[in-house]
Structures are given as structure tokens and as C-alpha cells.
Amino acid sequence: MNFDQNLIAPALGVLGLFIVVIIYQWITKQDGGSGAVKKIGEQIHIGAIVFMKREYKMLSIFALVLLVLLYIFLGAASALCFLVGAVTSATAGYIGMNTATIANVRTAQAAHDKGSASALTVAFFGGSVMGLSVAALGLLGLGGLYYFFGAEHSEALHGFAMGGSVVALFSRVGGGIFTKSADVGADLVGKLEAGIPEDDPRNPAVIADNVGDNVGDIAGMGSDIFESYCGSMIATIAIAATIAVDSLGGNRSELMFLPLALASLGLVCSVIGIIFVKLSSNKSPESALRMGTIGSALLFIVTSFFLIDYLDVSNNIWAAVLMGSIGGIIIGLVTEYYTAGKPIRDIAESGKTGAATVMIKGLAVGMQSVVIPVLMICVIIYVSNLFVGLYGVGIAAIGMLATV
């Protein structure tokens, strides 16, 4: 009996969801506090759930219109892929946000009772649910559709990316607007009118602000990453379906399968990275997080070489994976420097001379912070295209997002 390699991606997606369930159950068993801490945490959690239900209700109306149009103009296959993409993206965001709002208060309680190492473990496991949900549901949804439609009808998979994009737009923008409105309202009513401190739980708008932060920065960000994660795979599959494959090994089906294979390998490396962070929790938080994120990326680089060598494709493709993964590491470190290093202290220092200098300094640092990432992306595109052509650019994007 021959094993169908197209089953690997959805199978690993199921495994990823199983790990998500295990982590979620572990988080719920942690001490959730008592008294005011527990009450405030529950209010934020309930508010986030209510907001998500209302947002998804409005989103479903918009998505239904698009679903009908896709069915009429592009057929049932594209409409089905759109529906699966929207449902999996919304599910990933909901799972991540639900877990994070439960983990928030438990992180604070762990820090109070046991110290920073325990707090880091709870916080990281709470956040890892979002990342694992994105990868697992992406592989399960996209891998499952690719298994049924195959290389012959891969054009239908574009609907999956569109479904994910629709949810990402609503979750990211809707949550962002909500939290900004609540934040401004909390300041106006609380600090100016009532004269109570910022982020005081006696002000209902503060609870609303925290709800918006969770919905926009967790569910919204998760759906946004889901769109990029799956979109990079779908785009690369589409490129492999149309380009001349002689210079890439000559096996079109293997080239179309490779994006899913790399993403599946990335999920395994991400789980190992989570273990790295757990084992390093006694170190400083930034060191433990770096060890997990960079360690999983380096592990992915090494193991992807053997994967590409095993498949019937050109080994030059590994150069694109290498560039994408290293570029992702560099961009991450640069972002960390500009958001937690000397530039932040320089902006704070400029505040001593007034609001105008803060705005000018902040704007200047913000513009400066994107120089290296933009140049890095240019280098990634150039080198990947040099070795593998346009297909390599898509593979590099997968390399950058595989250990998301």
C-alpha cells in the first residue's frame, strides 16, 4: 500500500490542534486568582467573547454575499475553499483570543506567587496557542483541500486565501478601532472628568480598552498572520502550477507539494521551540524567547535541507529557504531593538523638552526602523530569484513564516 504524502499536512494539522488542547487544559488548571483580580479578569474575558460574537455575526453577513458571488462566477470549488478559509481563520483567532484572556490573569497570579519564571511559562504557553492554532488550522484546512482538489484543480485554493483575508480585515481593523475609541473614552471620562488614574478598573471604559486590545492584537493579529501564512503557500503552489519546471527538478507535483511540506516541518520545529522556551524559563525572558524563536528557525533551516534533498526537486531551492529564514530572524531582531532598546530610551529622553520633540524624534526613529527590514526583504527577493526564479521568492516567504 502506497502512502499518500498529501495527507502529511492535514495529519500534522490535527496533531497541532491536539497539542493546542493539551496546552489549553494546562493553562486552565493554573491559579486564576481571587477577589478583584479574578473579577476583572472575568470581565475582560466575557467582554472579549461578546465582542467576537458580535463581530463575527456582522462578518458572516458580508462573507455570505461574497460566497454567493464566488459560487456564481467561479464555481462551487472556489466557494467551498473561501468558506473553509474564512471558518479556519476565524476559528484560529477565536481560540487564540479565548486562551489569551484566560492566561492573562493566570500570568499575573503566577508572577505574584511564584516569580518571573513561572509567569513566563504561563504567558508563553498562552501566546503559543495562537501561533499553533494558525499553523495547525492552516495546514488542516489548506492541506485537506489540496488533498481533495489536487494539482488538477489547485486554482480553487485561491478562494481559501480570500476567505482568510476577509476575516483578517474585520478582526484587525474592527478590534483596532474599538480599542482606540475605548482608550480615548477612558482617558476623557476617567482622567479629565472623574479624576481617577489611568487604567483604573472602576472606569468601565478601561475594561472595554482591554477587551479591544485582546481582540485586535490577538484575534486580529492571529487572523492577519493566518492570511500571510496560508497566502504564501497558495501563491507558491500557483507559481509551481504554471512555470517551466525543468530547471527545478522537472517534477511539478513535488514542487506544488513542497510549500505544504515545508509548512508542516515548520510546525514540528515550532513545537520543539516551545519546549526550548519552557526549558529556558529560568533565564531572562528575552533570552528564553530568543532561544525558542531563533532556535526553531535554525532547526527548520537544517531539517529543510534534508526534506528538499529527499524530494525530487532541485537542491537550489534550499537557498531560498535559507534566505527567508535568516531574513526573518534579522527582521525580528531589528524590530526588537527598535521597540525595546536604545531608540525607545532616546524617545523618552526627548520628552523632557516638550511634546514637539517627542513627536519629531518618534517619527524619525520610526522611519529609521524600517530601513534594515526593507533592505533585507530586497536581498531575500534578489537572492531567491537568482537561485530559483519566481518560485524561490514564494519559498522564501514560506521560510520566513514557517515557524510562526
Side-chain angles (χ1 to χ4, degrees):
M1 181 178 178
N2 293 326
F3 174 72
D4 191 346
Q5 64 183 14
N6 289 335
L7 284 172
I8 293 175
L12 282 175
V14 173
L15 176 62
L17 288 177
F18 178 71
I19 296 173
V20 165
V21 172
I22 293 175
I23 295 175
Y24 177 81
Q25 289 178 340
W26 180 87
I27 292 172
T28 56
K29 292 178 182 178
Q30 305 308 301
D31 186 7
S34 59
V37 172
K38 184 177 181 180
K39 182 179 179 181
I40 293 171
E42 288 177 347
Q43 287 176 337
I44 294 172
H45 176 71
I46 294 171
I49 297 296
V50 171
F51 182 93
M52 289 287 287
K53 287 181 178 179
R54 178 62 178 173
E55 183 178 55
Y56 282 173
K57 181 179 179 181
M58 301 306 297
L59 170 60
S60 62
I61 298 172
F62 178 72
L64 180 62
V65 175
L66 292 180
L67 181 67
V68 172
L69 293 175
L70 283 172
Y71 180 81
I72 294 172
F73 292 103
L74 295 179
S78 294
L80 175 63
C81 290
F82 171 83
L83 179 62
V84 174
V87 170
T88 50
S89 178
T91 303
Y94 185 87
I95 292 173
M97 187 275 304
N98 182 59
T99 306
T101 51
I102 292 174
N104 288 343
V105 67
R106 286 163 173 78
T107 300
Q109 193 65 34
H112 180 269
D113 295 341
K114 302 176 183 178
S116 61
S118 179
L120 173 63
T121 301
V122 177
F124 184 76
F125 276 3
S128 67
V129 167
M130 181 74 261
L132 287 175
S133 297
V134 166
L137 286 167
L139 288 174
L140 179 60
L142 185 56
L145 290 171
Y146 185 80
Y147 174 76
F148 285 109
F149 289 111
E152 294 78 14
H153 300 287
S154 60
E155 71 283 349
L157 298 179
H158 301 171
F160 186 92
M162 185 176 179
S165 298
V166 169
V167 175
L169 174 64
F170 270 73
S171 298
R172 191 78 167 129
V173 177
I177 292 173
F178 179 86
T179 190
K180 291 298 177 291
S181 302
D183 193 12
V184 173
D187 288 341
L188 290 175
V189 174
K191 289 194 292 186
L192 297 181
E193 293 185 9
I196 58 178
E198 186 172 2
D199 293 337
D200 191 307
R202 292 175 295 174
N203 185 351
V206 171
I207 304 298
D209 184 23
N210 281 274
V211 168
D213 286 337
N214 281 283
V215 174
D217 296 339
I218 299 174
M221 179 66 77
S223 297
D224 207 7
I225 295 174
F226 182 92
E227 174 202 9
S228 301
Y229 179 76
C230 295
S232 63
M233 287 190 280
I234 293 170
T236 310
I237 292 172
I239 293 171
T242 55
I243 61 171
V245 298
D246 295 339
S247 62
L248 299 177
N251 192 327
R252 189 179 302 277
S253 62
E254 295 277 71
L255 290 171
M256 294 179 70
F257 168 71
L258 181 58
L260 288 168
L262 288 172
S264 301
L265 181 62
L267 175 60
V268 175
C269 294
S270 296
V271 173
I272 296 174
I274 292 172
I275 298 173
F276 284 165
V277 174
K278 169 61 178 175
L279 296 176
S280 308
S281 59
N282 289 325
K283 300 180 180 180
S284 64
E286 59 271 19
S287 298
L289 291 173
R290 282 196 206 104
M291 184 171 291
T293 53
I294 297 177
S296 61
L298 293 176
L299 180 63
F300 172 73
I301 291 172
V302 174
T303 52
S304 64
F305 174 81
F306 295 101
L307 172 64
I308 292 170
D309 186 61
Y310 172 77
L311 296 175
D312 186 19
V313 295
S314 172
N315 285 342
N316 288 342
I317 294 175
W318 185 70
V321 176
L322 178 65
M323 287 304 303
S325 297
I326 291 179
I329 293 172
I330 293 174
I331 292 173
L333 291 175
V334 170
T335 302
E336 180 183 344
Y337 170 73
Y338 277 99
T339 54
K342 185 175 179 295
I344 294 298
R345 293 189 290 272
D346 291 342
I347 294 174
E349 187 70 22
S350 67
K352 293 180 179 179
T353 54
T357 50
V358 172
M359 294 175 63
I360 295 171
K361 184 67 175 180
L363 184 61
V365 170
M367 290 180 174
Q368 185 185 40
S369 68
V370 301
V371 173
I372 295 178
V374 168
L375 291 176
M376 194 67 237
I377 290 173
C378 293
V379 171
I380 293 170
I381 293 173
Y382 175 78
V383 175
S384 301
N385 185 67
L386 184 67
F387 277 89
V388 201
L390 185 60
Y391 180 77
V393 178
I395 289 293
I398 295 172
M400 187 180 293
L401 295 168
T403 54
V404 66

